[in-house]
Coordinates of all heavy atoms in Angstrom, one line a residue:
D153 N -1.7 13.1 -2.1 CA -1.9 13.8 -0.8 C -1.2 15.2 -0.8 O -1.4 15.9 0.2 CB -1.4 12.9 0.3 CG -2.3 11.7 0.5 OD1 -3.4 11.7 0.1 OD2 -1.7 10.7 1.1
R169 N 12.1 15.2 -10.4 CA 11.1 14.2 -10.2 C 9.7 14.8 -10.2 O 8.7 14.1 -9.9 CB 11.3 13.4 -9.0 CG 12.4 12.4 -9.1 CD 12.5 11.4 -8.0 NE 12.9 12.0 -6.7 CZ 12.8 11.4 -5.6 NH1 12.4 10.1 -5.5 NH2 13.2 12.0 -4.4
L191 N 13.2 28.2 -17.1 CA 14.2 27.2 -17.2 C 13.7 25.8 -17.2 O 14.1 24.9 -17.9 CB 15.3 27.4 -16.2 CG 16.2 28.6 -16.3 CD1 17.2 28.8 -15.1 CD2 17.0 28.5 -17.6
C199 N 15.2 16.5 -19.7 CA 15.4 15.3 -18.7 C 14.5 14.2 -19.1 O 15.0 13.0 -19.1 CB 15.1 15.8 -17.3 SG 15.4 14.6 -16.0
Y237 N 1.3 23.3 -14.8 CA 0.9 23.7 -13.4 C 1.9 24.6 -12.7 O 1.8 24.9 -11.6 CB 0.6 22.4 -12.6 CG -0.5 21.6 -13.1 CD1 -0.3 20.6 -14.1 CD2 -1.8 21.8 -12.7 CE1 -1.4 19.9 -14.6 CE2 -2.9 21.1 -13.2 CZ -2.7 20.1 -14.1 OH -3.7 19.4 -14.6
P251 N -4.5 28.9 2.7 CA -5.1 29.7 3.8 C -4.0 29.8 5.0 O -3.5 28.8 5.4 CB -6.3 28.9 4.2 CG -6.7 28.2 2.9 CD -5.5 27.9 2.2
I256 N 7.6 34.0 0.3 CA 8.4 35.0 -0.3 C 9.7 34.4 -0.8 O 10.3 33.6 -0.1 CB 8.8 36.1 0.7 CG1 7.5 36.8 1.3 CG2 9.6 37.2 0.0 CD1 7.9 37.8 2.4
P347 N 33.7 20.0 -18.2 CA 32.3 19.5 -17.9 C 31.5 20.5 -17.1 O 32.0 21.0 -16.1 CB 32.6 18.2 -17.1 CG 34.1 18.0 -17.2 CD 34.7 19.3 -17.5
L411 N 27.4 37.5 -23.0 CA 27.2 36.1 -23.4 C 27.5 35.9 -24.8 O 27.1 34.8 -25.4 CB 25.8 35.7 -23.0 CG 25.5 35.7 -21.5 CD1 24.1 35.4 -21.2 CD2 26.4 34.8 -20.7
E492 N 38.1 0.7 -21.0 CA 39.0 1.3 -20.0 C 39.8 2.4 -20.7 O 40.5 2.2 -21.7 CB 39.9 0.3 -19.5 CG 39.2 -0.8 -18.6 CD 38.7 -0.2 -17.3 OE1 39.1 0.9 -16.9 OE2 37.8 -0.8 -16.6
V495 N 43.8 7.9 -18.0 CA 43.7 9.3 -17.7 C 45.1 9.9 -17.7 O 45.9 9.8 -16.8 CB 43.1 9.6 -16.3 CG1 43.0 11.1 -16.1 CG2 41.7 8.9 -16.2

Side-chain angles (χ1 to χ4, degrees):
D153 292 339
R169 285 193 291 173
L191 287 176
C199 187
Y237 297 88
I256 303 173
L411 296 176
E492 292 292 342
V495 181

